[in-house]
Amino acid sequence: MKDYNEPSEETKNEWENDPDNWIWGMFYYNPKDKRSYIPRKLKELGWHSNYADPDNIIIVAIMVAMILVLIAFDK
C-alpha cells in the first residue's frame, strides 16, 4: 500500500473537475494525485484509474497483453 497524505476533499474535487487532468475527457491523468483510483464523474458508474500512476500503467499493460493473447489463441 502506498503511504502518502490524503488530499483534502476540496483538493480532490478541484483535481477531478479540472479539464486539464482529463485526456480526451475520458482518461484521468494527474501526477500530483497519488491515488490509484478515483471516482468517475458520474459516481454511480464506478471508478477510474489515474494513468499518471506508474503502478496502474503496469496493470493496464498486463490486462491489454492478456486480452491480446486470448484473442491470438482464440483462432
Side-chain angles (χ1 to χ4, degrees), residues 6-64:
E6 184 75 20
S8 68
E9 287 298 317
E10 182 179 321
T11 302
K12 288 181 195 178
N13 289 333
E14 182 180 316
W15 285 342
E16 292 170 14
N17 294 325
D18 184 359
D20 292 334
N21 292 335
W22 293 90
I23 300 171
W24 300 323
M26 303 173 19
F27 303 105
Y28 184 72
Y29 185 92
N30 184 0
K32 295 179 203 169
D33 191 351
K34 300 301 178 198
R35 298 176 294 166
S36 295
Y37 299 98
I38 63 153
R40 290 187 183 257
K41 290 180 182 181
L42 296 173
K43 308 285 189 229
E44 298 81 21
L45 296 179
W47 296 81
H48 258 300
S49 291
N50 181 1
Y51 290 98
D53 183 12
D55 294 341
N56 277 343
I57 298 300
I58 293 169
I59 292 169
V60 170
I62 290 170
M63 288 175 23
V64 169

